[in-house]
């Protein structure tokens, strides 16, 4: 039995774990900066939108291909199993069923296998630190919808499986006997019913109508997944559980690593309150171990002298469009919310910033907390502790290696583009890497006051940093009539922005994730520990009985009876216990390494004042601000075709779904024209949708 359990783990579970280990090593060796030009290839075409629909959203050719292959796999698996069942139809001893009832019961049973296939992949899209989707260049916020699709399919198949089984029991008048059975061996029916009810509760509370209005209710009920997985183990048995154990294994380890990373808590250094209830938060980040003081001369003129300062090295680095998950215990001890990082780690070594749009209950509480500090007369504001997970972002910046970029933002969707523009500006002095030479930013907002969110890139708008790249801004204000206000005037109106600094009682800065090599090693160590404890616990609780010579000659049927002396749920408990022990051991190791890292960390920077509001100098006349209308994307794309003939254009959009769909349709038509004409002198549009929550 021990050998069988080890073999089941090696065949069913370890391939997923091995893929994760190899993937982390590959991502560690992958260069982060874009080195070469984006080639016009079939792989690029697969990433462009093929289906744009208000119901299913924006689907690329690659996504449709994967969904098609998965559906084919489900159909083939179901047909192969059910056809074999009908050929070898065996009556159920405890039930007296006729032929059609017996066949329908087998049909219901095989639908359970389809639910199991969906469950095997269900947790993979929501991994963060140990995400396998980074291998495909898919970030966490974009992969959540795959989790939703798989969860819906799993509940659909599981409901058919459970409902049909109850129906057969009902028509055969055995429902009272079978429904409450907790069998010693085989399928435990009661455990399956509990798992199904739990899954239905989780699915219903995750519907958009409930999730958006009652987020806390959705958030807390979704933690019933622990009960669901435990009772699924008791219902399906150890062999079937190994089929889905790979995702559960990585999810459990990922969850504990995130918990460790978020301890201890940091403090908000300062905040700026913008119009339209938007807040920018400044957080301390690990700047690396300080080296010896170096002599550095800067701003050399008659009024300055050479300065000495300590250069930080090996600090926290993250790619543009990265997100962090933040929890503020004074608002809620359990709720985590994701936000895009608006700063660039290449520009600021000491701090990181993010912008929060205050619309929901949690963000409104944060807004009121900041306002309370602004209105108080205290000289030193109280510290606001925050717990941080992340940053999570793309492994590389290959989406920036196009010749030109078209950035389309709606409202608070501007946040990921702020980090992109700062990264491009800071990288122009490095000739080793290739970045876009022309960038056009389309910003769609309701009120002109929202232009203040562009303050962090105001130097790029007023003074182009070099001739190597060019930035053009077009603002569309949809809910205001024509006005003479300009971008410069709005950004220079200091009365629109209020700043506040906070006291820092924490010596902890945001450290970020551990290295990919370290995580690959931890996954491997945890899997080895699991196998060791699995075999050890089996030897202790399921000892191999020594048979007498007379027993060796026993009939095969008698041997089967002896095997069934140990209840099947004992093996399930051994798997569960081995997993908990292995995860606990790895967690203690991770805590020790984390403690050693924090012990060597230098204290975070303490801001003496709020982040200053940038004041624009002379602004380029080509920056536009339009009132009372929405952008005409057909016209914008046509202008880009004329200005960037023969170049590849990366189209990045972030904002409302309706705007994403409009840009995707325009990009789709333009790309199809390119493919039909096969003209290398025409620009080719490569669409990317940024799916972030704010």
């Amino acid at each position: 039995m021990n050998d069988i359990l080890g073999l089941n783990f090696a065949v069913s579970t370890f391939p997923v774990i091995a893929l994760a280990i190899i993937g982390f090593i590959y991502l560690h060796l992958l260069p982060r900066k874009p080195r070469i030009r984006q080639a016009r290839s079939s792989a690029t075409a697969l990433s462009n939108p093929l289906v744009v629909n208000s119901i299913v959203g924006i689907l690329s050719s690659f996504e449709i291909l994967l969904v098609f292959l998965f559906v084919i796999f489900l159909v083939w698996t179901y047909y192969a199993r059910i056809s074999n069942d009908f050929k070898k139809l065996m009556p159920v001893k405890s039930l007296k069923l006729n032929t059609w009832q017996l066949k329908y019961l087998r049909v219901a049973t095989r639908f359970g296998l389809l639910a199991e296939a969906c469950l095997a992949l269900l947790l993979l899209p929501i991994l963060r630190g140990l995400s396998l989707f980074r291998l495909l260049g898919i970030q966490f916020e974009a992969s959540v919808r795959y989790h939703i699709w798989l969860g819906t399919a799993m509940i659909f198949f599981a409901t058919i499986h459970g409902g049909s089984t109850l129906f057969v029991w009902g028509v055969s008048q055995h429902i009272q006997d079978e429904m409450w059975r907790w069998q010693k061996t085989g399928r435990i029916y009661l455990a399956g019913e509990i798992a199904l009810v739990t899954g239905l509760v989780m699915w219903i509370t995750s519907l958009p109508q409930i999730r958006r209005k009652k987020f806390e209710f959705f958030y807390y009920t979704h933690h019933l997944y622990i009960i669901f997985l435990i009772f699924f183990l008791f219902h399906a048995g150890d062999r079937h559980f190994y089929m889905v154990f790979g995702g559960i294994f990585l999810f459990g380890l990922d969850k504990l690593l995130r918990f460790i990373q978020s301890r201890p808590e940091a403090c908000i250094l300062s905040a700026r309150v913008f119009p339209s209830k938007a807040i920018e938060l400044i957080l301390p980040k690990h700047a690396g171990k300080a080296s010896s003081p170096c002599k550095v001369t800067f701003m050399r003129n008659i009024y300055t002298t050479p300065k000495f300062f300590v250069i930080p090295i090996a600090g926290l680095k993250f790619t543009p469009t990265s997100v962090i998950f933040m929890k503020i215990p004074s608002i809620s001890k359990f709720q985590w919310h994701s936000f895009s990082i608006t700063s660039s780690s290449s520009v600021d070594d000491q701090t990181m910033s993010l912008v929060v749009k205050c619309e929901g209950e949690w963000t409104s509480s944060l807004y009121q907390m900041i306002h309370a500090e602004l209105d108080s007369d205290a000289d030193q504001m109280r510290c606001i502790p925050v717990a941080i997970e992340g940053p999570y972002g793309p492994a590389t910046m290959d989406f920036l290696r196009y010749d030109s970029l078209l950035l389309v933002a709606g409202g608070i969707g501007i946040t990921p583009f702020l980090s992109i523009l700062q990264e491009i500006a800071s990288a122009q002095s490095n000739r080793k890497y290739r970045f876009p030479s022309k960038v056009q930013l389309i910003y769609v907002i309701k009120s002109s006051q929202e232009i203040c969110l562009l303050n962090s890139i105001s130097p790029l708008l007023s003074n182009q940093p070099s001739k190597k790249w060019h930035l053009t801004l077009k603002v569309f204000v949809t809910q205001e009539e024509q006005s003479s206000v300009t971008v410069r005037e709005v950004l220079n109106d200091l009365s629109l922005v209020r700043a506040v600094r906070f006291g820092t009682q924490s010596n902890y800065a945001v450290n970020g994730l551990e290295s990919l090599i370290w995580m690959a090693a931890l996954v491997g160590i945890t899997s080895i520990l699991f196998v060791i404890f699995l075999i050890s616990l089996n030897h202790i609780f399921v000892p191999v009985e020594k048979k007498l010579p007379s027993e060796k000659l026993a009939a095969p049927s008698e041997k089967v009876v002896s095997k069934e002396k140990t209840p099947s749920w004992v093996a399930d408990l051994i798997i569960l216990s081995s997993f908990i022990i292995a995860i606990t051991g790895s967690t203690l190791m991770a805590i020790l390494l984390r403690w050693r890292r924090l012990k060597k960390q230098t204290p975070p920077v303490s801001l003496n004042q709020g982040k200053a509001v940038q004041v624009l100098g002379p602004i380029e006349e080509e920056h536009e601000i339009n009132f009372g209308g929405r952008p005409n994307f057909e016209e914008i794309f046509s202008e880009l075709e004329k200005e960037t003939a023969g170049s590849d254009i990366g189209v990045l959009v972030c904002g409302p779904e309706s705007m994403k769909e409009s840009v995707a349709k325009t990009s789709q038509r333009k790309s199809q024209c390119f493919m039909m004409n096969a003209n290398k002198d025409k620009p080719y549009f490569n669409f990317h949708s940024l799916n972030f929550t704010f």
Side-chain angles (χ1 to χ4, degrees):
M1 183 176 180
N2 301 324
D3 296 335
I4 294 176
L5 288 174
L7 182 62
N8 288 334
F9 174 81
V11 173
S12 303
T13 300
F14 188 72
V16 178
I17 298 175
L19 177 63
I21 295 173
I22 296 172
F24 296 147
I25 297 174
Y26 168 76
L27 291 175
H28 175 77
L29 300 175
L30 195 67
R32 190 171 66 95
K33 300 282 186 178
R35 293 179 177 271
I36 59 176
R37 176 179 173 176
Q38 173 72 47
R40 294 176 180 176
S41 62
S42 57
T44 303
L46 286 175
S47 64
N48 276 329
L50 181 63
V51 175
V52 181
N53 188 277
S54 58
I55 298 177
V56 298
I58 304 170
L59 298 178
S60 65
S61 304
F62 180 70
E63 290 173 324
I64 294 176
L65 177 62
L66 289 182
V67 171
F68 176 76
L69 293 177
F70 184 64
V71 171
I72 291 297
F73 168 76
L74 293 180
V75 172
W76 174 81
T77 301
Y78 187 83
Y79 173 77
R81 294 296 183 90
I82 200 66
S83 59
N84 185 60
D85 289 344
F86 285 171
K87 291 177 182 178
K88 302 177 180 179
L89 205 60
M90 298 292 291
V92 181
K93 294 181 180 180
S94 60
L95 302 175
K96 296 180 180 179
L97 304 178
N98 56 35
T99 303
W100 79 266
Q101 292 172 347
L102 193 57
K103 287 185 177 181
Y104 189 58
L105 184 62
R106 300 309 301 166
V107 168
T109 302
R110 293 310 178 189
F111 266 102
L113 289 179
L114 300 184
E116 181 182 303
C118 296
L119 179 58
L121 303 175
L122 181 65
L123 297 177
L124 297 180
I126 56 175
L127 296 176
R128 297 178 190 174
L130 301 180
S131 176
L132 297 178
F133 280 78
R134 295 180 67 191
L135 293 169
L136 302 175
I138 302 174
Q139 292 181 242
F140 169 77
E141 293 294 338
S143 64
V144 168
R145 63 173 177 172
Y146 307 140
H147 173 75
I148 296 173
W149 295 349
L150 289 167
T152 302
M154 182 195 72
I155 291 299
F156 174 74
F157 294 136
T159 303
I160 295 178
H161 166 68
S164 299
T165 303
L166 291 174
F167 173 75
V168 172
W169 290 346
V171 297
S172 62
Q173 299 180 354
H174 291 87
I175 190 168
Q176 292 293 336
D177 300 330
E178 300 295 327
M179 187 174 181
W180 308 105
R181 288 183 62 190
W182 189 282
Q183 300 93 308
K184 186 176 180 180
T185 59
R187 302 285 188 271
I188 299 176
Y189 300 145
L190 182 58
E193 293 154 12
I194 295 173
L196 177 58
V197 171
T198 306
L200 284 171
V201 171
M202 293 169 59
W203 179 76
I204 291 173
T205 55
S206 66
L207 293 175
Q209 297 83 352
I210 299 177
R211 185 180 70 247
R212 292 170 184 170
K213 295 180 180 180
K214 300 289 184 180
F215 180 80
E216 286 194 5
F217 186 55
F218 151 75
Y219 180 82
Y220 294 127
T221 55
H222 228 61
H223 283 76
L224 294 173
Y225 71 86
I226 300 174
I227 297 176
F228 173 81
L229 292 175
I230 291 175
F231 282 98
F232 170 80
L233 169 60
F234 287 125
H235 173 65
D238 56 301
R239 292 189 179 183
H240 286 273
F241 189 73
Y242 279 120
M243 300 297 296
V244 305
F245 187 52
I248 298 172
F249 181 92
L250 293 176
F251 179 78
L253 189 58
D254 182 75
K255 192 84 171 177
L256 288 172
L257 288 177
R258 284 155 43 194
F259 177 81
I260 295 171
Q261 189 213 349
S262 63
R263 301 298 190 276
E265 297 170 347
C267 281
I268 299 176
L269 295 177
S270 66
R272 292 195 297 166
V273 181
F274 295 102
S276 302
K277 296 187 70 175
I279 299 176
E280 181 183 28
L281 302 178
I282 311 299
L283 303 174
K285 76 180 182 73
H286 181 40
K289 189 176 181 179
S291 62
S292 302
C294 298
K295 183 177 180 180
V296 179
T297 304
F298 63 97
M299 295 178 61
R300 181 179 293 278
N301 54 44
I302 60 175
Y303 300 106
T304 59
T305 56
K307 302 291 183 181
F308 293 87
F309 63 93
V310 176
I311 298 179
I313 59 174
L316 173 59
K317 298 294 182 181
F318 47 84
T319 52
T321 73
S322 293
V323 299
I324 62 171
F325 283 76
M326 183 173 66
K327 179 183 71 173
I328 302 181
S330 56
I331 298 178
S332 174
K333 294 184 178 181
F334 302 102
Q335 282 193 43
W336 292 86
H337 294 265
S338 61
F339 301 97
S340 299
I341 300 176
T342 58
S343 58
S344 169
S345 60
S346 301
V347 176
D348 195 340
D349 289 322
Q350 300 287 342
T351 63
M352 62 194 302
S353 60
L354 53 95
V355 175
V356 180
K357 181 69 172 179
C358 304
E359 293 179 337
E361 183 178 348
W362 187 91
T363 52
S364 296
S365 298
L366 174 62
Y367 183 80
Q368 294 171 5
M369 181 184 298
I370 301 295
H371 254 282
E373 297 296 336
L374 281 170
D375 297 336
S376 66
D377 298 329
D379 296 333
Q380 185 69 37
M381 304 300 179
R382 66 184 179 90
C383 171
I384 300 181
V386 293
I388 300 295
E389 291 181 3
Y392 306 108
T396 65
M397 293 189 293
D398 286 343
F399 60 92
L400 295 179
R401 63 183 179 182
Y402 299 108
D403 297 321
S404 304
L405 273 183
L406 174 62
L407 310 179
V408 183
I412 196 63
I414 190 65
T415 50
F417 298 139
L418 299 179
S419 61
I420 288 177
L421 293 173
Q422 293 179 67
E423 187 73 26
I424 295 175
S426 67
Q428 294 305 314
S429 59
N430 194 335
R431 298 181 179 180
K432 184 178 180 181
Y433 305 112
R434 181 182 181 89
F435 285 85
S437 59
K438 181 177 179 59
V439 181
Q440 185 171 115
L441 174 61
I442 308 297
Y443 190 24
V444 185
I445 52 179
K446 296 179 181 180
S447 170
S448 59
Q449 292 182 342
E450 295 183 46
I451 299 177
C452 291
L453 295 179
L454 300 176
N455 185 264
S456 61
I457 59 168
S458 57
L460 308 182
L461 297 173
S462 58
N463 300 309
Q464 296 293 337
S466 68
K467 296 181 179 180
K468 295 181 181 179
W469 79 295
H470 189 74
L471 172 63
T472 305
L473 171 66
K474 292 184 179 181
V475 180
F476 293 85
V477 184
T478 60
Q479 295 185 4
E480 286 185 8
E481 298 298 329
Q482 189 67 33
S483 174
S484 59
V485 68
T486 63
V487 174
R488 180 177 61 85
E489 290 174 348
V490 176
L491 288 177
N492 285 345
D493 190 351
L494 303 183
S495 64
L496 297 176
V497 183
R498 300 178 66 188
V500 58
R501 65 181 184 274
F502 299 95
T504 54
Q505 299 174 0
S506 172
N507 290 326
Y508 174 72
V510 180
N511 275 266
L513 303 173
E514 302 293 346
S515 68
L516 292 170
I517 291 295
W518 184 90
M519 287 194 289
L522 190 66
V523 171
I525 292 171
T526 308
S527 61
I528 293 173
L529 288 175
F530 172 77
V531 174
I532 292 174
F533 284 106
L534 179 69
I535 296 175
S536 301
L537 292 177
N538 267 280
H539 276 292
I540 296 172
F541 294 101
V542 190
V544 178
E545 297 181 0
K546 296 182 179 180
K547 298 181 180 295
L548 298 174
S550 59
E551 291 178 326
K552 294 180 180 180
L553 301 176
S557 60
E558 295 177 357
K559 293 181 181 180
V560 172
V561 172
S562 64
K563 276 186 178 181
E564 294 183 351
K565 290 180 180 179
T566 303
S568 59
W569 52 263
V570 172
D572 302 336
L573 286 176
I574 289 175
I575 294 175
L576 187 61
S577 302
S578 302
F579 177 60
I580 293 175
I581 295 173
I583 287 288
T584 303
S586 299
T587 301
L588 293 176
M589 186 186 307
I591 291 174
L592 177 62
L593 293 175
R594 186 75 171 179
W595 176 76
R596 293 184 61 185
R597 181 178 177 182
L598 293 176
K599 191 176 180 181
K600 298 178 181 179
Q601 174 182 300
T602 55
V605 65
S606 179
L607 294 183
N608 293 323
Q609 58 185 10
K611 191 175 179 180
V613 178
Q614 300 285 351
V615 179
L616 275 175
I619 193 167
E620 300 290 337
E621 295 181 359
E622 58 187 335
H623 297 314
E624 301 177 6
I625 179 169
N626 304 278
F627 291 88
R630 299 181 182 277
N632 186 334
F633 293 114
E634 285 284 351
E635 182 179 333
I636 292 172
F637 275 65
S638 298
E639 291 179 359
L640 278 176
E641 284 182 340
K642 297 177 183 179
E643 297 174 2
T644 59
S647 65
D648 288 338
I649 303 174
V651 181
L652 279 69
V653 57
C654 186
E657 291 299 324
S658 58
M659 188 182 72
K660 291 181 184 179
E661 293 169 6
S662 179
V663 176
K665 289 179 180 178
T666 307
S667 176
Q668 184 183 24
R669 287 193 294 269
K670 295 297 182 180
S671 298
Q672 287 175 351
C673 291
F674 165 80
M675 298 299 291
M676 291 175 63
N677 296 330
N679 188 350
K680 293 184 179 180
D681 294 331
K682 284 185 172 292
Y684 184 62
F685 295 93
N686 304 273
F687 179 85
H688 299 268
S689 176
L690 303 182
N691 301 286
F692 299 116
T693 56
F694 308 92

